[in-house]
Amino acid sequence: MIDYPNWWASIPIASFLEKYDFFGKTILPFCSHGGGRFGQRLTAIAKLVPNAAMDEVLSIHDLGGSELSSDVADWLNSNEIQSQRGD
């Protein structure tokens, strides 16, 4: 999973993606935002890691909302990732 905030349409993780070899890996991007969602960032990420697959993405509005926990849990489940909650 790759998480980053959407700051003015930038990709603050670009240098990280360029530095490491993601050959044969699957990337599951998710980002928090104030309304901009992913925009063109998914295309930019795909260009930065051309040898990786990109699977289902998750976009989280900074206000969250009452369904945020279930949205994240559904996304984790759909990608067969077990949630590790500390409650």
Side-chain angles (χ1 to χ4, degrees):
M1 289 184 282
I2 294 180
D3 172 35
Y4 64 93
N6 175 352
W7 290 324
W8 298 99
S10 69
I11 302 175
I13 59 167
S15 60
F16 168 78
L17 295 173
E18 291 172 326
K19 183 176 181 178
Y20 293 97
D21 181 12
F22 287 89
F23 180 82
K25 304 294 184 197
T26 299
I27 295 173
L28 302 171
F30 64 100
C31 80
S32 58
H33 63 87
R37 300 185 53 89
F38 281 103
Q40 296 298 315
R41 282 163 241 34
L42 296 177
T43 302
I45 290 171
K47 288 179 182 178
L48 291 167
V49 289
N51 294 322
M54 193 176 323
D55 218 341
E56 185 177 346
V57 302
L58 177 64
S59 173
I60 301 171
H61 193 278
D62 67 348
L63 297 177
S66 61
E67 297 179 9
L68 177 60
S69 293
S70 63
D71 290 346
V72 172
D74 291 346
W75 179 73
L76 290 170
N77 288 334
S78 71
N79 288 290
E80 299 178 1
I81 299 169
Q82 184 177 4
S83 175
Q84 305 249 335
R85 297 182 66 176
D87 18 62

